[in-house]
Amino acid sequence: MSATAFCGLTARPPKEPSALSVPLNILDLVSIREGSTARDAIAESMTSAKLADELGYKRLWFAEHHNTMGLAASATALLISQAASVTEKIRVGSGGVMLPNHAPLIVAEQYGTLANIHGPRIDLGLGRAPGTDGMTAQALARSSAEPQDFAQNIYDMQGWFGDSGQAHTMPIKSAVSAGMDVPIWVLGSTMNGASIAGQLGLPFSLASHFAPDQIDIAIKTYRDSFTTDAPTAQIDEPYVMAGINVMIADTDAEAARQFTSVQQMFNDMRSGRRRNLQAPVDPAEIAAQGATSPMLSISAVGSPDTATAQMAEFVQRTGADELITVTYAYDPEVQRRSLHLLADAWF
């Protein structure tokens, strides 16, 4: 199948003159700010979804996390359905469903149902990590994370999404997913995940926004291992979406101050401290602690000119066909202002 036939993918030449032509997407973890509730966070997320749709972002994905008190993104299919119901054009999907936590047939039925309700705007991003700690992973475990099992699960899901609605390796059918052709992406942050995506002949979403260490080698591994010979292959050439943290404000100084909410979150993760998203502080306070997380090194923070220049440099470095942006903000209006400023500068 050609790249253009697969949910509108169009591979970008490696050295396109303008990096700002790369489509922009949003990854939403539905953060819960200090003093707020999960209900508030979900409502704010849906308001941002409407804005993203109006501004021209291509995709809105929700990430799956568990046993994380500051995030309300656990039931991704429900969030996707709600976001799709309040938007019109933007593609809505998972970034991703952590497949070890779910029975593959259930995933096919859920996302087939979503496609039946909302039409051909649904994406299914799949990951092999549990999206949580070890003990919670044991409580959630429903399928294997081994590469061979992961590949077979994807192959069966493609059968359930196909015209016959039948898995490729077993005589089990799904009426609700039949004919829906929900496009599948593979998520990853390492060479291992990249290699799996390439060997399956599927588009690859790289979690560079929190796993910066293996970016270049992971992308090279994906492209080198890519094949169209696999029974799971759905595109005819490699296709990469890369993650980047973004905070844009009217000035560099204000963006740096707002970004301290994210820095505090990652410092909490590293220390084991469990808090909701914190209000911004003076960046000097973070610097004085000497605790800036290296996990945030792939970030674009500043005024529209500053941040988009950083993003364009990242596109040139990676050759990414799309970017998926992650924007945390204590004040929802700050987050939406960042989305607006980026859209005005990029589109």
Side-chain angles (χ1 to χ4, degrees):
M1 180 180 293
S2 70
T4 54
F6 185 80
C7 66
L9 302 186
T10 304
R12 190 184 64 83
K15 293 185 178 180
E16 186 171 277
S18 174
L20 272 67
S21 63
V22 170
L24 291 184
N25 311 301
I26 297 167
L27 180 64
D28 191 350
L29 283 75
V30 195
S31 56
I32 307 171
R33 68 183 187 276
E34 190 67 28
S36 185
T37 66
R39 181 190 294 269
D40 296 330
I42 293 169
E44 291 156 0
S45 174
M46 296 307 127
T47 300
S48 293
K50 294 177 188 177
L51 177 62
D53 190 38
E54 294 167 2
L55 292 174
Y57 286 86
K58 183 175 183 178
R59 307 178 199 273
L60 169 62
W61 283 7
F62 293 92
E64 176 185 345
H65 288 270
H66 303 279
N67 195 26
T68 306
M69 296 307 295
L71 301 176
S74 299
T76 50
L78 297 178
L79 293 170
I80 291 166
S81 186
Q82 183 64 17
S85 71
V86 299
T87 58
E88 297 179 356
K89 303 179 296 295
I90 195 169
R91 298 191 63 85
V92 190
S94 62
V97 166
M98 301 295 103
L99 198 53
N101 303 338
H102 306 275
L105 175 57
I106 295 296
V107 175
E109 291 173 336
Q110 288 178 341
Y111 282 75
T113 300
L114 287 169
N116 270 293
I117 294 172
H118 300 293
R121 290 196 289 137
I122 304 300
D123 291 331
L124 175 55
L126 297 171
R128 292 172 56 239
T132 188
D133 59 274
M135 182 169 61
T136 307
Q138 289 183 356
L140 290 164
R142 291 295 179 270
S143 62
S144 170
E146 292 300 317
Q148 298 86 346
D149 296 324
F150 185 70
Q152 180 175 313
N153 290 339
I154 288 177
Y155 190 41
D156 280 333
M157 280 191 278
Q158 289 175 336
W160 284 316
F161 289 134
D163 291 339
S164 70
Q166 180 171 315
H168 288 298
T169 69
M170 63 187 84
I172 296 175
K173 291 191 174 184
S174 168
V176 76
S177 59
M180 290 297 98
D181 292 320
V182 175
I184 294 175
W185 293 67
V186 173
L187 279 62
S189 59
T190 65
M191 289 185 290
N192 189 31
S195 177
I196 291 170
Q199 291 175 51
L200 295 178
L202 293 173
F204 180 48
S205 181
L206 178 63
S208 38
H209 58 290
F210 70 82
D213 293 341
Q214 297 187 34
I215 292 175
D216 301 301
I217 188 63
I219 292 176
K220 184 177 187 302
T221 298
Y222 169 65
R223 290 180 173 139
D224 288 347
S225 63
F226 184 86
T227 179
T228 58
D229 294 333
T232 51
Q234 290 190 319
I235 52 175
D236 57 14
E237 54 191 356
Y239 196 92
V240 175
M241 174 161 54
I244 183 169
N245 300 289
V246 174
M247 172 52 70
I248 301 181
D250 293 307
T251 66
D252 289 353
E254 179 58 19
R257 190 181 78 86
Q258 294 295 340
F259 195 66
T260 62
S261 292
V262 188
Q263 293 171 316
Q264 292 177 80
M265 175 195 292
F266 275 74
N267 289 342
D268 285 350
M269 290 168 52
R270 185 168 55 182
S271 66
R273 190 176 186 182
R274 298 169 67 87
R275 298 189 296 174
N276 289 351
L277 189 67
Q278 298 295 299
V281 297
D282 188 325
E285 184 177 328
I286 301 293
Q289 297 171 1
T292 300
S293 174
M295 295 172 69
L296 291 172
S297 61
I298 305 301
S299 298
V301 180
S303 67
D305 287 345
T306 299
T308 54
Q310 294 166 345
M311 293 170 66
E313 181 179 353
F314 182 61
V315 171
Q316 292 297 332
R317 170 186 167 181
T318 60
D321 298 289
E322 298 185 20
L323 291 183
I324 188 161
T325 64
V326 187
T327 301
Y328 296 96
Y330 178 77
D331 183 345
E333 289 300 324
V334 169
Q335 188 254 2
R336 289 190 277 274
R337 174 69 173 161
S338 180
L339 293 180
H340 222 305
L341 290 171
L342 176 55
D344 287 346
W346 194 273
F347 298 142

